Amino acid sequence: MTELLKVQDLKTQFLTRDGTVHAVNGVSFNLNPGETLGIVGESGCGKSVSVMSILRLIQSPPGKVVGGKAIFDQKDLMQMSNEEIRQVRGSKISMIFQDPMTSFNPVLTIGRQITEPLEEHMGMSIKEARKHAVEMLKIVGIPNPSDRMNDYPHHFSGGMRQRVMIAMALTCNPQILIADEPTTALDVTIQAQILELVKHLRDTLGMAIIWITHDLGIIAGLADRVAVMYAGYIIEEALVKEFYKNFQHPYSLGLLGSLPRVDLNDRHKLVPIEGLPPVLYEDPSYCPFASRCRFKLERCSIEKPNLLPSSLEHRVACWVDPKTGRERQ
């Protein structure tokens, strides 16, 4: 299968008063047509910075993409001019942000914010764009969409704002939708509604999705493939069913061990990951998880493992097999 998006060795850094922060350190992954890729990891591991780097949304200064490629439609997004990347954003690759209240312009109506990309990217007239925008609001479940076109972002609830954000992201029928923790601030009922809506739109429109989250429960029910990030690296990648059945990195073991379980008795306790994430002022020559790993070997403190295939459709960056505690062969 031909990849829709191919990211190779992506590196992003931020220059601060205390030093250079190595936020993304050689991230590589593929996205196939119609596929949903889940990117998971704790806060600050580089999930959002990775996808924002792909779309060239990193503010410079202080941030800068210092290396890597992102091949889309046979072109490298990293080498495009500002005008070329503007034509990709919104029309071919769209993004749903974590907090829609800060993503919308508070002084423009919802209708104007949805119709603008239609006029810019699709060449529609104002009348055509408005008609299409009303239809999109209807699709995402906004009641009385014609009337709500004249409302401002603060007139909508959190769940409704997120629906409007989805409508805005999908209005130009993009090939890729990037969702950056879009359900984090919503209660579980609204979260479930948004997830069902995204699944329905994915199956209807046939788009590919990159879903960023720290919630492994969401990934289990939504994604086809999962990539686990830690300290700016992808440390494990696998098909979702394979990952939950046969995880191969100690950090993945820690993530799964910290999930509440309804299939176990009341005595089951959550197992925290001891220690703190590493300071990212350096790109370490050793395993970044070594200081927190209970399976650590001497090799882990002096040599950084590469992300290599462990089986078909499964890659892992670790010297140790967490199920045996022995060095991986």
Side-chain angles (χ1 to χ4, degrees):
M1 183 181 293
T2 303
E3 300 95 348
L4 183 59
L5 175 69
K6 186 178 183 66
V7 178
Q8 297 175 303
D9 201 27
L10 186 67
K11 297 179 181 179
T12 304
Q13 299 175 358
F14 292 87
L15 185 62
T16 71
R17 292 181 178 180
D18 297 322
T20 300
V21 176
H22 295 75
V24 178
N25 300 303
V27 164
S28 299
F29 63 86
N30 299 332
L31 181 68
N32 298 318
E35 180 184 40
T36 300
L37 171 67
I39 301 180
V40 300
E42 60 195 58
S43 297
C45 70
K47 306 185 298 295
S48 298
V49 175
S50 295
V51 294
M52 292 181 73
S53 298
I54 293 169
L55 286 178
R56 306 255 299 275
L57 292 174
I58 298 297
Q59 185 175 350
S60 178
K64 185 178 181 181
V65 179
V66 298
K69 298 179 179 179
I71 308 300
F72 172 74
D73 199 16
Q74 299 182 340
K75 297 179 181 178
D76 186 1
L77 300 176
M78 300 296 104
Q79 300 300 321
M80 286 185 176
S81 66
N82 290 336
E83 180 58 31
E84 287 174 325
I85 195 68
R86 280 185 69 250
Q87 295 304 315
V88 171
R89 297 191 201 115
S91 61
K92 297 180 180 179
I93 304 177
S94 286
M95 189 164 180
I96 305 172
F97 295 94
Q98 183 171 350
D99 184 3
M101 194 60 203
T102 59
S103 302
F104 284 121
N105 189 325
V107 299
L108 294 179
T109 64
I110 286 298
R112 181 58 193 138
Q113 296 186 61
I114 299 177
T115 57
E116 185 176 15
L118 290 168
E119 297 170 30
E120 174 74 19
H121 296 299
M122 308 291 284
M124 291 186 181
S125 65
I126 295 176
K127 185 177 180 180
E128 290 172 331
R130 187 173 180 85
K131 181 180 179 181
H132 186 76
V134 169
E135 186 62 29
M136 288 304 302
L137 289 178
K138 183 179 179 180
I139 288 174
V140 299
I142 300 295
N144 305 315
S146 296
D147 298 333
R148 300 310 301 267
M149 287 279 287
N150 299 318
D151 287 341
Y152 291 86
H154 66 273
H155 291 145
F156 292 80
S157 67
M160 286 297 178
R161 277 196 298 269
Q162 200 59 277
R163 287 174 182 267
V164 174
M165 176 65 74
I166 292 172
M168 187 174 175
L170 298 181
T171 190
C172 294
N173 195 20
Q175 295 171 264
I176 299 175
L177 175 67
I178 298 174
D180 187 5
E181 303 199 47
T183 60
T184 298
L186 306 177
D187 63 60
V188 291
T189 304
I190 303 301
Q191 183 183 94
Q193 293 175 3
I194 295 296
L195 288 172
E196 286 303 314
L197 172 62
V198 170
K199 287 180 186 178
H200 172 71
L201 293 173
R202 174 193 62 187
D203 296 339
T204 302
L205 302 176
M207 62 187 174
I209 297 176
I210 299 176
W211 191 281
I212 299 169
T213 184
H214 58 269
D215 190 336
L216 283 168
I218 290 177
I219 293 301
L222 179 68
D224 302 302
R225 198 157 43 91
V226 59
V228 182
M229 286 195 69
Y230 184 81
Y233 299 89
I234 292 179
I235 50 91
E236 185 166 7
E237 181 187 349
L239 296 175
V240 164
K241 290 183 179 180
E242 167 70 10
F243 175 75
Y244 285 90
K245 182 175 67 174
N246 187 32
F247 58 86
Q248 297 188 14
H249 197 284
Y251 180 62
S252 302
L253 171 63
L255 287 180
L256 293 169
S258 65
L259 286 176
R261 298 280 298 273
V262 297
D263 58 334
L264 299 176
N265 58 41
D266 295 337
R267 296 181 181 179
H268 173 71
K269 294 183 179 180
L270 302 183
V271 181
I273 301 176
E274 300 292 340
L276 297 172
V279 178
L280 299 179
Y281 289 127
E282 63 175 24
D283 184 5
S285 58
Y286 49 88
C287 175
F289 189 63
S291 63
R292 306 176 71 185
C293 183
R294 53 186 164 132
F295 303 102
K296 182 175 68 173
L297 304 174
E298 183 178 351
R299 185 180 187 181
C300 302
S301 299
I302 57 176
E303 188 178 355
K304 182 168 58 181
N306 293 319
L307 187 65
L308 298 174
S310 61
S311 61
L312 188 65
E313 300 286 354
H314 201 147
R315 299 189 298 163
V316 64
C318 186
W319 300 123
V320 186
D321 182 347
K323 293 183 179 179
T324 64
R326 300 174 182 175
E327 185 167 358
R328 196 181 299 275
Q329 300 299 318

